[in-house]
Amino acid sequence: MSLKETINTDIKKAMLAKKKDDLRALRAIKSMIMLAETEKGSASELNEEQEIKILQKAVKQRKESADMYQSQNREDLAEIELSEVAVIEQYLPQPLSEEELKAAITSIIAETGAEGPKDMGKVMGVATKSLAGKADGKSISTMVKTLLNQ
């Protein structure tokens, strides 16, 4: 079942269960998916990689909003954003642990033949593609820097 179909099913379940927070997050995801499908030049159906990118973008936006609300002492609004993050993260693949990320990047470094910090771009290109959805760009970058500087 595609992400869009899953979201539609879950929207119905949330409506029946009267879960307002879940419903708000699910409708936002559905809106982002429909927007991506109707963009000029896009295929009518999104592939899994595109769906993951949409979900990651939604999570990132809500986390940034929550941080902003917390800095302005608006815990009520930050709580809403963080509850939406929890709902959206259910649809993302499980992120890699730090050890799994280190192992994956170590094998990518060996595969690309990188020897030092000057080869970071080469490693990052392969790592971001192969680890898409499993780790965010910031953690990948940090781990690559750490491993190449050893």
Side-chain angles (χ1 to χ4, degrees):
M1 188 181 317
S2 74
L3 178 64
K4 186 177 178 181
E5 293 167 351
T6 305
I7 296 296
N8 283 331
T9 304
D10 290 348
I11 285 174
K12 291 173 189 170
K13 288 178 187 175
M15 289 172 84
L16 290 172
K18 295 184 171 40
K19 293 182 178 179
K20 292 180 183 177
D21 291 339
D22 291 3
L23 194 56
R24 182 176 44 252
L26 292 169
R27 284 181 173 157
I29 295 170
K30 183 179 177 182
S31 170
M32 292 177 82
I33 290 171
M34 290 175 66
L35 186 66
E37 286 178 342
T38 58
E39 281 182 356
K40 187 175 182 180
S42 69
S44 60
E45 285 292 317
L46 299 176
N47 62 34
E48 188 177 348
E49 184 180 320
Q50 292 169 317
E51 292 172 345
I52 289 172
K53 283 183 182 180
I54 289 170
L55 293 175
Q56 288 175 327
K57 181 178 177 183
V59 167
K60 184 178 178 185
Q61 287 173 341
R62 280 155 184 78
K63 283 183 178 179
E64 288 173 355
S65 295
D67 289 342
M68 186 177 62
Y69 290 140
Q70 286 172 337
S71 70
Q72 296 172 353
N73 296 322
R74 293 296 310 265
E75 293 299 322
D76 55 328
L77 297 175
E79 209 172 283
I80 291 170
E81 296 292 332
L82 293 174
S83 71
E84 288 185 20
V85 167
V87 172
I88 296 168
E89 284 180 337
Q90 295 172 2
Y91 299 96
L92 284 169
Q94 285 294 326
L96 295 175
S97 68
E98 191 170 336
E99 295 81 32
E100 293 170 327
L101 180 63
K102 185 174 183 176
I105 292 177
T106 303
S107 69
I108 291 170
I109 289 173
E111 178 184 309
T112 58
E115 296 175 357
K118 64 181 176 14
D119 296 322
M120 184 168 173
K122 193 185 330 180
V123 175
M124 282 299 295
V126 175
T128 52
K129 284 184 182 175
S130 65
L131 301 174
K134 299 174 187 167
D136 66 330
K138 187 175 182 181
S139 59
I140 293 172
S141 174
T142 304
M143 186 61 73
V144 168
K145 282 180 189 173
T146 303
L147 292 174
L148 288 176
N149 285 326
Q150 291 180 345

